[in-house]
Amino acid sequence: MSATRGWSTELEGLRGIASLWVLVGHISLLVHCHITLISSPGIGVDLFILLSGYLMAKNYVERQQKEPWQSTETIKKFWIRRFFRIAPLYYLLLIIALIYGPWFGEMRDTIAHFYSGTATESSRYTDQSLANILTHFSFLFGLLPEYGFNTVLPDWSIGLEMQFYLLFPFIMLVTLRFGYAASLIGIMALCCAGRYVLADYYEAFEMPSMILIKLNMFLSGMLLAEAIRRKSLLYVAFALLGPVASVAMGLGAIKLQVIMEALMIVGMTAILWQYPQGSLMETLIALPRKLLNNRLSTWLGDVSFSVYLLHLLIVLPMIALLLNHTDIEFKSDMMRFLIVCVSAIPLTYALASLLYKYVEKPGIQIGKRVLKPKLADQTS
């Protein structure tokens, strides 16, 4: 297993795949071209969620000696790191989404005019109310059904992620008290119970932006991290309880998505597992690891967050303009899909590269400077 940047580079490639999956999935849906798997961008989001749970747990355990879990300073550092990883780029694109929301709403309505099956409530693009602004800047929107899916950005999952970050240090403290597997499985069970105790609240969300709806998949990632650390197949089986919880909660989880959740857990296990040198499994897994470790895959992973947040700001107007000014509507479904992909993907990745370099990386550095202890005044 390659190690760099504090984590497995194979996971960088998986992040790149997840963001590309969401991008092409949204294109296929918007141009009314159904392609099995590709047209389910929610599966790509599930991959992001699994990776997040895995990485948070892996890094937290590895830092335990230097950053004890019971320390309030450790929790503070964790939150600061995660805030500056997410917030700078998110706030920039959120401002654009809010200011130009009515225009993006017009573009979305144009697409719906050609393909009525893609129609959505355009008011969620045009809401420039103080409540919408404040709930999004505070990251509270994911907990509120009225605001959880209320901008042009696919930011429902960003609110979800921030809720997970808020809870994560306390989840780790619970594992110290009650045991790792027992705690995480117990929390999954509570999420499933909540689905029926708080049925109206769970069902009020158009997208699963509230943490209890998707916490099971974050917990699967955390269990998978422990499976790899311990080399324990039992913990892999525990991780597979996440998709079982998705079935138990229902809430629109389609059969294909649940199957893919399980396959992603098994696939991540196969890629990350430490095999005896020269074994058959090491040979079989060498090619997937190589594909996920190459420079292209690593770059796709680097820009994945920018691609994820940015892509609808590019894709929506591009499809609307092509429909209005070309004969693309008369092309076959697959040709229409390919034309938009060829037009939108290079531009999206070019702009995402700039955002990664000039917004994401500086934001991370600001977070590091905030955490860096101030040096004593040399002149005093």
Side-chain angles (χ1 to χ4, degrees), residues 202-220:
Y202 275 65
E203 293 169 6
F205 290 89
E206 187 173 350
M207 298 296 284
S209 64
M210 192 269 289
I211 187 61
L212 299 181
I213 299 174
K214 279 292 186 181
L215 184 56
N216 57 305
M217 295 310 298
F218 286 108
L219 298 175
S220 283

Side-chain angles (χ1 to χ4, degrees), residues 33-215:
C33 175
H34 179 77
I35 306 169
T36 303
L37 280 184
I38 287 178
S39 296
S40 299
I43 299 174
V45 177
D46 278 342
L47 180 52
F48 271 125
I49 290 172
L50 278 170
L51 290 168
S52 182
Y54 178 94
L55 289 166
M56 294 306 103
K58 176 180 181 293
N59 292 337
Y60 218 67
V61 168
E62 290 176 352
R63 290 185 177 129
Q64 187 176 12
Q65 294 302 317
K66 188 166 67 171
E67 298 180 0
W69 299 353
Q70 301 94 329
S71 168
T72 56
E73 191 64 24
T74 295
I75 297 174
K76 176 184 172 183
K77 286 180 179 179
F78 174 80
W79 284 340
I80 289 173
R81 286 190 189 107
R82 302 323 302 164
F83 177 83
F84 283 100
R85 177 66 186 89
I86 297 294
L89 177 65
Y90 170 66
Y91 284 154
L92 173 64
L93 296 184
L94 176 62
I95 290 169
I96 294 171
L98 290 170
I99 291 174
Y100 296 100
W103 181 72
F104 285 111
E106 291 176 10
M107 298 297 101
R108 190 67 181 80
D109 286 342
T110 296
I111 296 171
H113 173 74
F114 286 88
Y115 307 111
S116 58
T118 69
T120 187
E121 181 55 59
S122 60
S123 63
R124 71 182 184 87
Y125 294 87
T126 59
D127 188 351
Q128 297 175 326
S129 67
L130 181 61
N132 196 41
I133 293 169
L134 291 178
T135 56
H136 277 78
F137 272 89
S138 65
F139 294 102
L140 293 174
F141 65 99
L143 296 168
L144 305 169
E146 185 178 353
Y147 301 105
F149 188 48
N150 210 42
T151 74
V152 65
L153 301 177
D155 55 1
W156 64 268
S157 62
I158 304 303
L160 181 71
E161 187 87 0
M162 294 301 275
Q163 293 166 59
F164 174 62
Y165 295 157
L166 179 65
L167 292 177
F168 177 79
F170 303 110
I171 293 174
M172 295 304 285
L173 289 176
V174 170
T175 67
L176 283 180
R177 175 68 177 83
F178 299 103
Y180 197 88
S183 297
L184 301 191
I185 294 170
I187 293 170
M188 272 193 209
L190 288 175
C191 291
C192 292
R195 160 70 179 93
Y196 300 98
V197 174
L198 303 171
D200 290 343
Y201 182 53
Y202 275 65
E203 293 169 6
F205 290 89
E206 187 173 350
M207 298 296 284
S209 64
M210 192 269 289
I211 187 61
L212 299 181
I213 299 174
K214 279 292 186 181
L215 184 56

Side-chain angles (χ1 to χ4, degrees), residues 5 169 181 223 227 272 363 378:
R5 310 176 187 198
L223 287 162
L272 297 169
Q378 298 294 322

